[in-house]
Amino acid sequence: MEPAREKALFDEFLQQAVAEYSMTGGSLQLFTGSAPPFFPSDAQKMWGHVTDEEVQRLELLLGVTTRAGSFYNLTAPHCELALVELIQNPALRSGALLLLGMDISKWLIEGKPVETQSRIHLHYGVMPCISTFLQFQTVEQFQFIKQVLSDLNFCKLNEKHLKPIKRGSR
């Protein structure tokens, strides 16, 4: 999925289903060499190559020096800058992996805020995906969020992940 589309879908999800969230930061990995030998051959063909000039440009943009081609512990503003760069510079997409973390503290279920302790990780660039670590107080809340994500065609939640929280004995 293209970064601009992934961002637009996530922004729409936030508008429809989230009352309160915060970006927790992230990391950016730049692939400047060839793919590791343990990668399958078809994945090696997809492996991009970020030039030294692009690495230097990102260092200047973010105001941070890479460590072996990676930016760790990026702040929310850094992540936003990196995402804009991925969207605007298609040459980076096949050679960069941007991971953004989002904490969701309140769902917006049928217009009402509901407490949660959920987290979403968004992967942009090489092999984009979304990882969900979602919590719900009721099955109905799960069904609501599942429907929003399905309607957006963003990701699918599966009932097998709907398990009661195990609490210690008193």
Side-chain angles (χ1 to χ4, degrees):
M1 181 181 302
E2 294 292 320
R5 176 160 168 70
E6 186 175 353
K7 180 183 182 328
L9 288 172
F10 186 67
D11 289 346
E12 185 63 28
F13 169 71
L14 292 174
Q15 184 177 5
Q16 290 184 29
V18 177
E20 190 174 281
Y21 72 96
S22 61
M23 183 184 291
T24 59
S27 63
L28 175 63
Q29 170 111 28
L30 303 173
F31 303 108
T32 57
S34 57
F38 58 83
F39 266 45
S41 60
D42 57 334
Q44 288 188 12
K45 293 175 190 171
M46 294 175 16
W47 194 270
H49 179 76
V50 176
T51 66
D52 290 338
E53 291 80 22
E54 290 167 323
V55 172
Q56 291 171 355
R57 176 175 154 62
L58 282 162
E59 287 178 331
L60 287 172
L61 177 70
L62 300 175
V64 179
T65 303
T66 65
R67 287 186 280 163
S70 297
F71 297 91
Y72 298 103
N73 300 316
L74 294 177
T75 64
H78 286 134
C79 291
E80 290 173 13
L81 286 170
L83 180 55
V84 168
E85 189 64 22
L86 273 179
I87 290 170
Q88 294 177 350
N89 187 351
L92 284 177
R93 292 182 200 155
S94 64
L97 173 62
L98 176 63
L99 171 63
L100 303 182
M102 297 282 183
D103 283 344
I104 299 172
S105 53
K106 291 183 183 174
W107 293 122
L108 186 61
I109 306 292
E110 297 179 5
K112 297 179 183 170
V114 177
E115 298 286 330
T116 185
Q117 292 181 348
S118 295
R119 177 172 288 147
I120 292 180
H121 292 161
L122 299 156
H123 303 245
Y124 294 92
V126 175
M127 301 172 83
C129 69
I130 177 173
S131 300
T132 59
F133 310 91
L134 309 179
Q135 293 185 6
F136 307 95
Q137 296 174 12
T138 66
V139 172
E140 291 77 20
Q141 291 173 11
F142 169 81
Q143 293 297 339
F144 181 87
I145 299 300
K146 177 182 176 183
Q147 189 62 52
V148 170
L149 290 167
S150 177
D151 289 350
L152 292 171
N153 198 27
F154 189 41
C155 79
K156 295 181 182 186
L157 297 184
N158 189 317
E159 281 81 4
K160 73 179 182 179
H161 297 111
L162 186 59
K163 298 177 186 173
I165 295 175
K166 294 182 180 179
R167 302 188 193 277
S169 58
R170 294 182 182 186

